[in-house]
Amino acid sequence: MPECLFCRIVSGGVPASRVLESPRTLSFRDISPQAPTHVLVIPKDHHPDLAALAAADGSLLTELVSQAAEVARAEGISGTGYRVVFNTGADAGQAVPHVHAHVLGGRGLGWPPG
Ligand code: AMP
Ligand code: ZN
């Protein structure tokens, strides 16, 4: 099976605008930003979605969420607020089957989402 897109970003085969890195996670800018700050946080290991990651490695999920908060701090939006989203499955529009947290902020995001 060919490596997935986000695994190729981790290995450097596909370029990305990297924001932060921790031992087991990588954060990079979304190629199609939906807000002034739109960063994706992924585990370097391949897990298909949130449920799979939670079942396989809870400490890695904790590291992922901590990095999402760290990205918000680094982007200067932790004071104004931000949203962390895990799209999971077809109805949520998950397009890349490698779990990723979207960190969105820098403007009023509204609620509920469309
Ligand atoms: P999702 O719909 O939750 O699976 O989100 C996938 C996200 O990956 C989308 O917001 C895309 O814009 C983003 N994306 C796709 N390809 C790339 C890429 N090469 N570099 C950065 N972000 C990407
Ligand atoms: Zn992958």
Side-chain angles (χ1 to χ4, degrees):
M1 198 172 78
E3 237 187 348
C4 91
L5 173 63
F6 286 176
C7 284
R8 285 158 60 205
I9 286 178
V10 170
S11 65
V14 170
S17 176
R18 294 177 177 226
V19 174
L20 280 183
E21 192 165 355
S22 74
R24 296 200 291 163
T25 75
L26 180 65
S27 303
F28 54 93
R29 296 195 190 283
D30 196 292
I31 204 167
S32 176
Q34 303 301 310
T37 289
H38 188 173
V39 173
L40 302 176
V41 186
I42 66 170
K44 293 177 180 174
D45 288 345
H46 182 89
H47 298 275
D49 62 21
L50 178 61
L53 175 60
D57 194 338
S59 70
L60 181 54
L61 175 57
T62 299
E63 187 174 324
L64 193 70
V65 174
S66 296
Q67 279 298 295
E70 197 56 48
V71 164
R73 275 191 287 275
E75 293 287 301
I77 57 170
S78 46
T80 47
Y82 56 95
R83 184 169 293 155
V84 179
V85 175
F86 289 92
N87 289 326
T88 306
D91 278 0
Q94 183 180 0
V96 180
H98 180 134
V99 62
H100 48 281
H102 295 256
V103 180
L104 296 146
R107 64 168 170 81
L109 296 168
W111 188 263

